[in-house]
């Protein structure tokens, strides 16, 4: 890498960006002008209102009996005037009186007989002035109440402590900085994520998609600068501007809140146990976390923006990312969340947690290191993607043709495979079908719901899409027999081995991320069907056969077909596997299902046929049915080292079972590979095109 | 000196047969020679020039600049190439001088030589004070002048100009043409594309006629006239296109 060139790019990009009004407004205008103005104006308005209410006399009318006594009680209260009213209820409703006080009892008589006088206060809780009047009345009456109680106790010769057997005293031991820390830990990280994203937004969009739109990219590409140098230079620029915006924003907020705090304390006095001002350590902490956060957000935003052809298009792509990163920021701020070995590695969420724990003085150096490291890893990954995208000429030179926006089937050309856009679009639409339609059907009736979801919401739309875009069914769904008959036993052996290994993965996961028991209870009702033989067949049809056909058509058919042009085979295996895992909409099932998805994708790509994958899918799901209905042969339970009744915590599988599983898997792979042609990336050959 | 051998470039289109943008281009451009690439829109001119400028790689075939193969180290080879396309813009918020300094640094030039070159090119291209104005305030012709300065800033061996006169008025076109003539005198190898027949006829030492990605003929004006029996480049082109279509059918 030539650092002089990288430096030249950074220098130019910063100069260019700083001369852009949009960036300047975001970077400097918002923090330096808008916040203080808004906050100070808001504060002034609040103070004005507060002073007005505080100084205002409350007007109270007395109703009912013994008005003189009530008047006597109310008279010592400052800022309260007792007024007379002809129509007290109406005056209260119309705001001429702030509150009404009265009793229907003879006060002296009731008090004399040792009874309790019922005093009614009527008010309007939508009016601040009315609420103020009530609290003034109540605090005055509280004093009278205590005097009267003491009088009675003296008469009976009883100590006051006698009627207060428990004297509860609460003391908050949290030092003010901890209270501040926990409250700031809730708000500040979210604000930080937001301001950094805001700071990265315009530069990221402008120096990638903006440069493409302005037609200067080609000149840049014709210089000796490498793609890596271009990405590095641009990335460092986005990062620096994002962090600068973040720091400017935070500094402005800190200054404004300090000012607000001083203003507030002169009016309302110091609030106990909470210090509005940012503790000085907070600044060090902010610097520590702002760097990984800036790196990650800048890298991701750039990778997204470079895919767009114009500034406007890039804005549309990047905006959803804004909302997505806010979610982990909000979750991390919630009370009860803390850094764990797992959460240290969840991007953004981990930075927010680290911030919170540093503010409360709980996090150590190892936490800082782990969060820093994992965030850096994600940032590097995002940058790698950016570099990869910069290497793609269809991305950089904007020559991608996109999908023809026509709904007239006649105008569509015949094609062999789906395009990546079609595959992604299909997945997203079916995901929505599943969430909104599938869940509702399954809640109504689980068994019928699964059938409707699988056939009606997955299989049929997939087939319809392939028909509509005139793709080749045989090619898209890999509807040919495997290249070699050895692929059948190979796939089966791999499947068997993998299923056992996946069970073990599930057991490990259960130890770290125990699934809620509600999940099992829902499924239990369904599995109860399997008690008799005909029920068992029905269950196998619903849980084993149906998904094996429908899900395979979607995932190993349409999605694999769509990604063929985009990704190398291993990339398809990973992406389709992950998408398959995500489709099961459960964090507890993500890992095992994604692994199964990857395996099935591998089988299809290796053998060029969907049928072995369907078979393995059927076997896997049937095994789940047999396990759940406790119908597995006893020796298999013994072999695996688990008991049929799996209500308790399941122990790890027997080592020998795991060993045999690995053996099965490896021999399956060998059989699959034997005599296997090198898998083609799937760029359709001339022959394919003709057959289409 | 630029030489190509059987350059071919295909584009993969989702679910369709690959589109061949350049099919087997072989030619050479000597030092101090101007080769005109003449062809209608979509003939493959831009793709071919982008391959020569190492912006995109060829699907197959070879290309040398001097004795260096461009596929061996494209990043390094670009030092010897100046590339300009008709729709190339400048960084609007930078001044012409700032743009030139930026590119000078990207071409690994020293600060002193960058400044010297800027002074020299300002005189050569008669840029005057426009070099110190922000590019967004420049007219199309002024922008193209700064662009030409950028192309020749690092004194490359080969100039690759993709429709450099596209959308320019007569006066600015003329200054571009003068620039090319000047560069030829200085010994640069120049390949430039255009779809203006008269421009090609006036300026080029040799002309390559390109249609549907294939170079149909290449030679001096005289050679092309002899080949087809026509007496102007436009007729040469049309007769070759007809011939090509017949043989394709």
């Amino acid at each position: 890498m030539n650092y002089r060139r990288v430096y030249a790019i950074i220098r130019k990009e910063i100069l260019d960006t700083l001369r852009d009004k949009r960036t300047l407004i975001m970077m400097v205008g918002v923090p330096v002008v808008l916040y203080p103005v808004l906050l100070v104006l808001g504060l002034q308005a609040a103070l004005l209102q507060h002073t007005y209410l505080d100084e205002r006399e409350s007007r109270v009318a007395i109703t009912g009996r013994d008005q003189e006594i009530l008047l006597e009680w109310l008279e010592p209260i400052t800022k309260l005037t007792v007024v007379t009213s002809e129509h007290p209820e109406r005056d209260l409703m119309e705001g001429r009186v702030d509150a009404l006080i009265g009793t229907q009892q003879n006060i002296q008589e009731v008090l004399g007989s040792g009874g309790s006088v019922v005093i009614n206060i009527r008010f309007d809780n939508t009016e601040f002035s009315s609420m103020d009047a009530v609290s003034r009345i109540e605090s005055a009456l509280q004093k009278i109440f205590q005097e009267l109680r003491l009088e009675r106790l003296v008469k009976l010769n009883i100590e006051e402590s006698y009627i207060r057997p428990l004297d509860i005293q609460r003391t908050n031991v949290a030092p003010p900085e901890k209270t501040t820390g926990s409250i700031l830990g809730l708000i500040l990280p979210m604000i930080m994520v937001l301001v950094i994203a805001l700071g990265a937004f315009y530069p990221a969009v402008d120096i990638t998609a903006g440069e493409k739109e302005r037609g200067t990219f080609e000149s840049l590409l014709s210089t000796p600068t490498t793609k890596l140098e271009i990405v590095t230079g641009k990335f460092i620029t986005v990062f620096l501007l994002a962090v600068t915006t973040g720091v400017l924003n935070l500094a402005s907020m800190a200054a404004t809140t300090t000012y607000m705090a001083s203003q507030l304390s002169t009016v309302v006095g110091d609030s106990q146990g909470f210090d509005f001002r940012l503790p000085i350590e907070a600044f060090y902490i902010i610097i520590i976390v702002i760097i990984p956060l800036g790196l990650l957000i800048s890298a991701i935003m750039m990778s997204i923006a470079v895919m767009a052809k114009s500034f406007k298009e890039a804005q549309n792509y990047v905006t959803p990312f804004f909302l997505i990163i806010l979610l982990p920021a909000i979750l991390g701020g919630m009370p009860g969340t803390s850094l764990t070995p797992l959460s240290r590695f969840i991007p953004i969420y981990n930075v927010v947690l680290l911030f919170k724990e540093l503010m409360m003085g709980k996090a150590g150096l190892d936490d800082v290191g782990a969060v820093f490291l994992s965030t850096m890893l994600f940032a590097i990954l995002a940058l790698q993607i950016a570099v990869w995208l910069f290497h793609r000429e269809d991305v950089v030179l904007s020559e991608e043709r996109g999908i023809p926006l026509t709904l007239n089937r006649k105008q569509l050309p015949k094609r062999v495979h789906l395009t990546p856009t079609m595959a992604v679009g299909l997945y997203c639409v079916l995901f929505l079908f599943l969430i909104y339609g599938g869940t509702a059907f399954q809640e109504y009736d689980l068994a019928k719901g699964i059938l409707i979801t699988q056939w009606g919401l997955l299989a049929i739309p997939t087939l319809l899409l392939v028909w509509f875009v005139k793709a080749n069914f045989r090619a898209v769904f890999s509807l040919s027999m495997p290249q070699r008959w050895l692929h059948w036993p190979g796939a089966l052996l791999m499947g068997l081995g993998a299923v056992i290994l996946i069970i073990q993965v599930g057991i490990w996961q259960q130890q770290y991320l125990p699934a809620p028991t509600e999940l099992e209870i829902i499924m239990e009702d369904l599995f109860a069907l399997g008690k008799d033989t005909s029920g068992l067949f029905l269950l196998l049809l619903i849980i084993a056969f149906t998904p094996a056909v429908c899900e395979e058509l979607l995932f190993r058919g349409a999605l694999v077909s769509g990604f063929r042009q985009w990704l190398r085979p291993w990339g398809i295996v990973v992406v389709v596997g992950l998408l398959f895992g995500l489709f099961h909409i459960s964090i507890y099932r993500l890992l095992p299902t994604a692994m199964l998805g990857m395996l099935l994708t591998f089988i299809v790509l290796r053998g060029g046929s969907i049928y072995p994958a369907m078979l393995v899918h059927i076997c896997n799901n049937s095994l789940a049915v047999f396990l759940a209905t406790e119908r597995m042969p006893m020796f298999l339970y013994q072999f695996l080292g688990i008991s049929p009744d799996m209500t308790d915590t399941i122990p790890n599988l027997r080592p020998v079972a795991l060993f045999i599983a690995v053996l099965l898997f490896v021999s399956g792979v060998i059989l699959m590979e034997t005599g296997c042609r090198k898998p083609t990336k799937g760029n359709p050959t001339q022959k394919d095109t003709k057959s289409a | 000196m630029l030489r190509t051998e059987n350059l071919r470039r295909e584009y993969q289109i989702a679910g369709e047969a690959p589109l061949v943008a350049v099919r087997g281009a072989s030619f050479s451009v000597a030092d101090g020679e101007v080769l005109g690439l003449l062809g209608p829109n979509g003939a493959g001119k831009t793709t071919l020039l982008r391959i020569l400028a190492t912006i995109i790689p060829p699907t197959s075939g070879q290309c040398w600049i001097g004795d260096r193969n461009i596929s061996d180290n494209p990043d390094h080879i670009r030092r010897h190439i100046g590339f300009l396309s008709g729709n190339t813009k400048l960084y609007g918020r930078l001044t012409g001088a700032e743009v030139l300094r930026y590119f000078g640094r990207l071409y690994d030039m020293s600060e002193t030589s960058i400044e010297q070159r800027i002074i020299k090119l300002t005189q050569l291209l008669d840029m005057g004070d426009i070099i110190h104005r922000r590019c967004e305030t420049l007219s199309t012709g002024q922008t193209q002048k700064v662009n030409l300065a950028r192309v020749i800033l690092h004194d490359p061996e080969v100039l690759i100009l993709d429709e450099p006169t596209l959308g320019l008025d007569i006066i600015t076109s003329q200054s571009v043409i003068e620039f090319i003539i000047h560069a030829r005198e200085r010994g640069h190898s120049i390949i430039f594309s255009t779809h203006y027949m008269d421009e090609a006829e006036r300026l080029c030492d040799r002309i390559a006629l390109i249609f549907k990605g294939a170079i149909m003929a290449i030679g001096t004006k005289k050679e092309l006239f002899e080949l087809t029996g026509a007496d102007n480049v436009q007729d040469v082109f049309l007769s070759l296109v007809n011939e090509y279509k017949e043989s394709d059918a």
Side-chain angles (χ1 to χ4, degrees):
Chain A
M1 182 136 59
N2 182 323
Y3 293 101
R4 186 165 171 255
R5 283 190 216 135
V6 174
Y7 176 61
I9 294 176
I10 297 171
R11 228 167 106 172
K12 177 254 154 192
E13 294 295 0
I14 287 182
L15 181 68
D16 199 4
T17 312
L18 289 183
R19 283 185 185 163
D20 182 16
K21 283 188 209 111
R22 288 171 297 197
T23 322
L24 272 188
I25 290 171
M26 271 298 161
M27 258 185 74
V28 186
V30 171
V32 177
V33 182
L34 197 64
Y35 283 146
V37 169
L38 278 183
L39 286 174
V40 169
L41 279 184
L43 177 73
Q44 289 304 324
L47 285 180
L48 211 69
Q49 177 77 357
H50 185 269
T51 319
Y52 167 73
L53 286 177
D54 207 40
E55 294 304 316
R56 191 176 175 278
E57 289 270 317
S58 298
R59 294 156 304 172
V60 176
I62 303 173
T63 57
R65 299 179 62 173
D66 280 350
Q67 297 196 358
E68 314 76 45
I69 299 175
L70 287 175
L71 182 64
E72 195 183 310
W73 285 351
L74 293 181
E75 251 175 354
I77 307 175
T78 52
K79 295 177 195 167
L80 187 140
T81 314
V82 175
V83 295
T84 48
S85 168
E86 290 289 309
H87 308 284
E89 287 293 332
R90 205 169 70 197
D91 287 345
L92 176 64
M93 292 301 284
E94 290 170 6
R96 281 185 290 274
V97 166
D98 296 319
L100 304 178
I101 178 170
T103 179
Q104 297 307 321
Q105 290 165 308
N106 183 326
I107 295 175
Q108 292 297 7
E109 207 173 274
V110 176
L111 287 178
S113 63
S116 192
V117 182
V118 178
I119 292 175
N120 295 306
I121 301 173
R122 296 172 71 78
F123 65 101
D124 178 348
N125 82 343
T126 59
E127 294 291 339
F128 277 121
S129 53
S130 188
M131 299 294 285
D132 259 3
V134 173
S135 69
R136 282 170 184 167
I137 295 171
E138 275 179 350
S139 64
L141 290 184
Q142 190 64 25
K143 264 187 203 155
I144 307 283
F145 165 81
Q146 278 168 354
E147 280 169 22
L148 289 172
R149 186 173 64 180
L150 194 66
E151 228 171 74
R152 284 185 178 181
L153 292 174
V154 169
K155 214 181 262 174
L156 294 170
N157 206 11
I158 296 171
E159 285 293 311
E160 205 183 351
S161 59
Y162 185 79
I163 56 153
R164 202 168 55 195
L166 294 178
D167 186 2
I168 298 161
Q169 293 190 346
R170 299 198 308 179
T171 313
N172 178 13
V173 296
E177 60 270 20
K178 192 176 175 192
T179 315
T180 315
S182 78
I183 293 174
L184 286 179
L186 206 71
I187 314 161
L188 255 182
M190 213 166 68
I191 296 177
M192 268 175 47
V193 169
L194 199 67
V195 293
I196 291 178
L198 221 55
F201 187 88
Y202 275 99
V205 169
D206 192 57
I207 70 178
T208 51
E211 173 141 25
K212 269 204 254 179
E213 191 179 10
R214 288 189 294 269
T216 45
F217 232 140
E218 233 181 345
S219 315
L220 185 59
L221 293 177
S222 69
T223 66
T225 323
T226 63
K227 306 272 169 39
L228 185 65
E229 285 159 6
I230 298 176
V231 174
T232 310
K234 285 178 180 286
F235 166 69
I236 293 176
T237 310
V238 177
F239 168 71
L240 287 177
L241 292 172
V243 169
T244 311
T245 314
V247 170
L248 273 177
N249 272 282
L250 288 171
S252 164
M253 265 182 230
T256 317
T257 43
T258 311
Y259 168 75
M260 273 173 58
S262 67
Q263 289 288 298
L264 275 179
S265 58
T266 54
V267 183
V268 287
D270 278 327
S271 45
Q272 280 198 338
F274 181 69
D275 188 355
F276 253 120
R277 278 150 300 190
L278 275 178
I280 192 73
E281 300 82 48
F283 289 99
Y284 302 128
I285 297 168
I286 286 168
I287 300 295
I288 292 175
V289 295
I290 216 167
I291 291 169
L293 209 54
L295 286 173
L296 183 65
I297 292 176
S298 309
I300 299 178
M301 278 199 175
M302 246 181 75
S303 304
I304 298 174
V306 75
M307 286 187 274
K309 291 187 200 92
S310 65
F311 196 93
K312 218 171 174 180
E313 194 182 331
Q315 275 181 310
N316 293 341
Y317 289 173
V318 180
T319 309
F321 171 69
F322 245 102
L323 304 175
I324 292 170
I325 52 171
L326 272 184
L327 185 70
I330 294 169
L331 287 180
M334 296 273 181
T337 49
S338 62
L339 273 177
T340 60
L342 180 73
S343 62
R344 276 175 179 181
F345 293 94
I346 303 175
I348 301 196
Y349 183 65
N350 58 2
V351 179
V352 172
L353 288 177
L354 176 70
F355 183 92
K356 192 168 77 175
E357 301 207 347
L358 282 171
M359 286 295 281
M360 293 196 285
K362 271 164 60 180
L365 257 183
D366 55 333
D367 291 315
V368 176
V371 170
F372 219 95
L373 197 76
S374 70
T375 309
M376 287 294 279
L377 283 178
F378 279 109
I380 289 170
L381 195 72
L383 265 189
Q384 276 299 320
I385 294 173
V387 174
W388 173 69
L389 286 169
F390 268 76
H391 269 107
R392 292 183 60 121
E393 62 193 63
D394 56 347
V395 172
V396 178
L397 299 174
S398 297
E399 282 185 349
E400 202 191 26
R401 278 145 228 258
I403 42 167
L405 256 182
T406 171
L407 288 178
N408 186 350
R409 188 169 179 265
K410 274 185 193 159
Q411 287 175 7
L412 291 175
K414 276 190 179 177
R415 58 182 72 240
V416 180
H417 282 289
L418 301 183
T419 64
T421 324
M422 289 172 188
V424 173
L426 178 71
Y427 181 79
C428 293
V429 170
L430 296 193
F431 204 106
L432 291 178
F433 279 7
L434 179 72
I435 291 176
Y436 294 113
T439 323
F441 286 133
Q442 290 175 26
E443 233 161 63
Y444 173 68
D445 182 330
L446 191 54
K448 284 184 191 132
I450 292 177
L451 286 174
I452 294 173
T453 312
Q454 290 280 340
W455 292 103
L457 302 183
L458 302 190
I460 293 175
T462 306
L463 294 170
L464 274 178
L465 175 85
V466 175
W467 166 80
F468 186 82
V469 301
K470 297 187 186 168
N472 183 338
F473 274 81
R474 223 178 123 93
V476 169
F477 296 115
S478 303
L479 295 177
S480 37
M481 280 297 142
Q483 289 172 8
R484 295 265 186 286
W485 68 268
L486 280 176
H487 286 143
W488 285 105
L492 262 182
L493 288 180
M494 273 183 82
L496 268 177
V499 163
I500 297 173
L501 295 175
I502 291 172
I503 293 177
Q504 178 60 49
V505 171
I507 293 170
W508 280 328
Q509 180 182 288
Q510 186 69 18
Q511 290 165 2
Y512 291 102
L513 188 75
T517 41
E518 289 83 14
L519 269 182
E520 289 167 28
I521 292 166
I522 296 169
M523 293 306 282
E524 252 169 37
D525 290 344
L526 183 67
F527 284 126
L529 274 176
K531 285 199 178 106
D532 56 79
T533 316
S534 63
L536 182 69
F537 276 109
L538 188 63
L539 205 55
L540 286 174
L541 174 76
I542 297 169
I543 297 202
F545 179 74
T546 294
V549 174
C550 301
E551 290 175 5
E552 287 314 299
L553 286 179
L554 169 60
F555 288 93
R556 260 59 65 178
L559 294 193
V560 166
S561 161
F563 291 134
R564 272 171 195 266
Q565 292 191 330
W566 232 16
L567 301 166
R568 289 167 187 285
W570 62 264
I572 302 179
V573 168
V574 173
V575 171
V576 174
L578 279 177
L579 290 177
F580 183 68
L582 284 172
F583 211 75
H584 290 80
I585 332 181
S586 161
I587 183 119
Y588 305 102
R589 292 174 68 193
L590 176 66
L591 190 62
T593 47
M595 286 170 71
L596 179 69
M598 289 180 197
L599 170 79
L600 295 171
T601 313
F602 175 83
I603 291 173
V604 172
L605 284 176
R606 219 55 184 139
S609 166
I610 202 167
Y611 302 122
M614 284 183 172
L615 181 70
V616 171
H617 201 149
I618 290 181
C619 292
N620 174 74
N621 289 15
S622 306
L623 185 75
V625 171
F626 287 125
L627 268 176
T629 51
E630 299 170 23
R631 276 172 177 272
M632 272 223 306
M634 204 53 210
F635 74 91
L636 275 177
Y637 288 108
Q638 286 164 353
F639 165 68
L640 292 173
I642 51 177
S643 69
D645 176 26
M646 296 194 296
T647 45
D648 301 324
T649 333
I650 309 163
N652 285 341
L653 299 184
R654 284 172 62 205
V656 64
L658 291 176
F659 177 73
I660 290 177
V662 173
L663 216 61
L664 286 174
F665 188 82
V666 172
S667 47
V669 174
I670 294 170
L671 281 184
M672 291 287 286
E673 298 290 315
T674 311
C676 182
R677 271 198 319 222
K678 201 170 179 287
T680 49
K681 201 178 135 194
N683 287 330
T685 60
Q686 206 67 31
K687 198 176 145 211
D688 285 339
T689 318
K690 278 182 187 150
S691 69
Chain B
M1 169 78 175
L2 178 144
R3 189 160 58 88
T4 72
E5 208 175 274
N6 227 355
L7 282 181
R8 185 182 173 85
R9 172 68 201 203
E10 293 173 4
Y11 285 106
Q12 299 293 344
I13 303 171
E16 292 172 31
L19 177 96
V20 185
V22 176
R23 45 187 93 215
S26 304
F27 58 87
S28 65
V29 190
D31 293 340
E33 187 188 22
V34 179
L35 176 75
L37 202 57
L38 197 61
N41 293 334
K45 299 189 296 286
T46 299
T47 306
L48 178 57
L49 294 185
R50 278 180 175 171
I51 295 172
L52 301 181
T54 73
I55 290 174
I56 56 174
T59 310
S60 63
Q62 306 289 328
C63 176
W64 293 267
I65 294 208
D67 51 3
R68 295 168 291 257
N69 190 320
I70 62 165
S71 316
D72 290 346
N73 190 349
D75 295 328
H76 187 76
I77 212 90
R78 288 190 205 113
R79 276 174 226 274
H80 308 283
I81 299 172
F83 176 74
L84 172 69
S85 75
N87 52 15
T88 301
K89 309 281 187 332
L90 292 167
Y91 298 103
R93 296 187 288 261
L94 302 189
T95 67
E98 282 166 347
V99 169
L100 295 182
R101 274 184 212 118
Y102 175 49
F103 278 92
R105 287 172 192 136
L106 296 183
Y107 280 109
D108 301 329
M109 293 167 71
S110 73
E111 295 295 318
T112 352
S113 62
I114 292 175
E115 295 307 321
Q116 283 168 355
R117 280 296 278 173
I118 290 178
I119 294 169
K120 204 168 170 186
L121 291 172
T122 309
Q123 286 168 352
L124 176 76
L125 290 159
D126 192 22
M127 287 192 288
D129 65 335
I130 63 167
I131 197 92
H132 300 296
R133 275 170 42 195
R134 282 204 192 180
C135 295
E136 60 197 358
T137 65
L138 301 181
S139 68
T140 319
Q142 291 168 331
T143 304
Q144 199 66 337
K145 277 188 177 180
V146 179
N147 256 326
L148 289 173
R150 174 185 68 72
V151 171
I152 204 155
L153 180 74
H154 55 295
D155 201 16
E157 282 168 46
V158 175
L159 295 184
I160 299 167
L161 311 173
D162 187 11
E163 309 212 18
T165 53
L166 189 75
L168 297 185
D169 59 46
I170 303 170
I171 299 168
T172 325
S173 289
Q174 185 55 34
S175 62
V176 173
I177 289 169
E178 279 166 15
F179 168 84
I180 294 176
I181 293 170
H182 180 262
R184 171 168 59 189
E185 283 163 8
R186 284 183 45 92
H188 296 279
S189 308
I190 301 157
I191 175 165
F192 92 102
S193 70
T194 180
H195 55 258
Y196 302 129
M197 307 280 172
D198 57 327
E199 203 174 85
E201 215 171 324
R202 248 183 336 140
L203 190 62
C204 303
D205 299 307
R206 284 190 303 144
I207 296 172
L209 296 168
I210 181 167
F211 183 66
K212 285 194 173 173
I215 293 186
M216 298 183 297
I218 185 165
T220 61
K221 246 186 306 179
K222 206 173 142 204
E223 285 165 351
L224 291 176
F225 291 165
E226 280 169 8
L227 184 75
T228 54
D231 60 356
N232 62 68
V233 176
Q234 190 161 340
D235 288 345
V236 170
F237 186 79
L238 291 174
S239 93
L240 284 171
V241 165
N242 286 334
E243 220 173 89
Y244 183 89
K245 279 181 180 165
E246 279 164 22
S247 69
D248 203 33

